[in-house]
Amino acid sequence: MMNESIASGGGRGKNKRFWTKEEDNALITALSDLNVDPHWKCEHGFRNGYMVRLEEVIGKAMPGCGLKALPHIDSRLKTLVTKFRAIVQMLGTSGFKWDDEKHMISVQRSVYDEYCKVHPNCKNLYGNAFPHFNALSEIYGKGYATGKLAETFVDAIDNMEKSATVQVMIDSSDDEDTIVSGNGNQTVESAPPLKKVKRDNIFEHEESKKETETESASNPELASLQAFMKDMNVHLSTMAKVMSRADEREQQIAEKSETVLDVLLALEGVTPQQALEVAQILTAQSNKLMIFFKCPDALKCMFVKSLLA
């Protein structure tokens, strides 16, 4: 079965390339080799020109395939990485697992469909094998991508919900205010009017509250649990904000990577060959890509010349 990749450049639908299974395998193998080669691997990814190197390696492995760094390899790699990131994102959600035998996500279809309503970037992955997941995990971060970190995050949320249940039962001002179901969900019902509450019930509540406070003070484990829950809430809130900002930045980088070649070709005094070389540099180094798009046209030309120098 062939996989489809639409290469960038020339407008959507043009330069369409259908990648075979063998070509995909050759690309992943070449990328894996570069990943362990200190000449090409660097702290934040790969060094300048690695796309051209991939073209050379694939050309030797599959003579006559005609795959070029731009637009073919660049476009296909973006497609594979986009799917990989979507799978990692799903594995960070409760209910999603990775099936190593079938090389695909394992989850109930109804859960998947609901998830895709909020995360449309994860569509078209249900029931479709992605055999390159483990290889890309090694390349782009084994600990994060294999779901170990994601599972830990899910476990933390589960533990938080269980601990929150305990805390709600302890701190509740009235036993009828909070009903905790078997799955940890909380349903809050409105309290009865104050005029209907008997004085005896008020006294009983005050006594129960005092007993709870005394128990917390005398039980170090309970006090530690409550302190842990406060710290966990702050930690998870910070993680959510950081992840949100990171997703926004990745989206910006992806959008700019799709248009950078067209912008370079439109610059006065920049040849097509120079545009290709600079496009490879900018798509490989996101910080330079962002700087390039922040520059006015006059500075863009100077920036291009500095990169080629």
Side-chain angles (χ1 to χ4, degrees):
M1 182 177 182
M2 292 187 178
N3 299 315
E4 179 179 345
S5 171
I6 301 179
S8 60
R12 184 174 179 84
K14 296 182 180 181
N15 292 324
K16 183 179 292 186
R17 169 83 186 200
F18 292 90
W19 283 66
T20 65
K21 179 180 179 181
E22 291 73 17
E23 289 172 341
D24 267 349
N25 290 339
L27 171 59
I28 296 300
T29 299
L31 191 64
S32 298
D33 290 342
L34 264 60
N35 186 55
V36 296
D37 187 343
H39 178 74
W40 292 104
K41 182 67 175 178
C42 60
E43 183 179 358
H44 301 293
F46 295 94
R47 302 186 189 280
N48 295 342
Y50 84 101
M51 284 284 184
V52 176
R53 179 56 181 167
L54 287 175
E55 176 184 328
E56 295 173 355
V57 174
I58 295 174
K60 292 180 180 179
M62 303 186 67
C65 65
L67 294 172
K68 299 297 182 181
L70 288 173
H72 308 130
I73 297 174
D74 175 68
S75 177
R76 184 55 177 166
L77 194 54
K78 287 178 182 176
T79 299
L80 294 175
V81 172
T82 297
K83 291 182 179 180
F84 170 73
R85 287 177 56 83
I87 292 173
V88 172
Q89 178 182 339
M90 286 186 288
L91 293 179
T93 304
S94 180
F96 287 82
K97 296 181 180 179
W98 180 252
D99 190 328
D100 266 326
E101 293 184 0
K102 296 181 179 180
H103 303 292
M104 63 178 64
I105 57 170
S106 175
V107 66
Q108 293 183 1
R109 183 58 188 260
S110 59
V111 175
Y112 174 80
D113 290 339
E114 287 299 319
Y115 185 84
C116 288
K117 291 180 181 179
V118 183
H119 304 280
N121 60 303
C122 295
K123 289 183 178 180
N124 303 320
L125 292 175
Y126 185 86
N128 292 324
F130 189 69
H132 310 298
F133 179 75
N134 290 331
L136 292 177
S137 297
E138 294 288 343
I139 297 169
Y140 294 106
K142 184 176 181 181
Y144 171 71
T146 53
K148 291 181 180 179
L149 182 60
E151 290 172 358
T152 302
F153 180 73
V154 172
D155 291 340
I157 294 177
D158 290 340
N159 292 334
M160 183 189 71
E161 292 177 349
K162 294 176 183 177
S163 300
T165 300
V166 175
Q167 189 173 5
V168 167
M169 294 178 67
I170 292 174
D171 296 339
S172 175
S173 61
D174 196 311
D175 290 342
E176 294 179 0
D177 286 347
T178 305
I179 299 177
V180 182
S181 61
N183 59 6
N185 294 328
Q186 302 171 10
T187 304
V188 179
E189 299 181 355
S190 34
L194 289 177
K195 64 180 181 179
K196 292 185 180 181
V197 178
K198 295 181 180 180
R199 185 179 300 272
D200 291 342
N201 289 342
I202 297 177
F203 289 147
E204 290 175 2
H205 164 67
E206 292 298 331
E207 290 297 327
S208 175
K209 184 176 181 181
K210 290 179 180 179
E211 292 176 359
T212 298
E213 292 175 349
T214 302
E215 182 181 356
S216 297
S218 61
N219 189 340
E221 294 182 357
L222 181 58
S224 298
L225 175 61
Q226 291 174 336
F228 169 78
M229 281 306 306
K230 291 180 181 179
D231 292 340
M232 179 60 72
N233 288 335
V234 174
H235 181 61
L236 291 178
S237 176
T238 303
M239 288 179 61
K241 292 178 181 179
V242 171
M243 293 174 66
S244 176
R245 289 195 294 266
D247 287 342
E248 290 178 2
R249 178 175 172 80
E250 288 294 334
Q251 181 65 28
Q252 292 178 358
I253 292 174
E255 292 174 355
K256 295 183 184 303
S257 296
E258 291 292 334
T259 60
V260 66
L261 184 58
D262 292 334
V263 174
L264 287 167
L265 290 172
L267 292 177
E268 185 177 355
V270 178
T271 67
Q273 180 62 33
Q274 291 174 332
L276 288 173
E277 292 180 12
V278 174
Q280 293 179 38
I281 296 174
L282 295 178
T283 54
Q285 301 183 45
S286 58
N287 59 328
K288 293 183 179 180
L289 179 68
M290 300 301 288
I291 293 174
F292 173 77
F293 275 95
K294 288 181 179 180
C295 293
D297 288 345
L299 287 181
K300 279 187 173 71
C301 293
M302 296 177 60
F303 192 52
V304 167
K305 292 179 181 179
S306 68
L307 294 175
L308 294 172

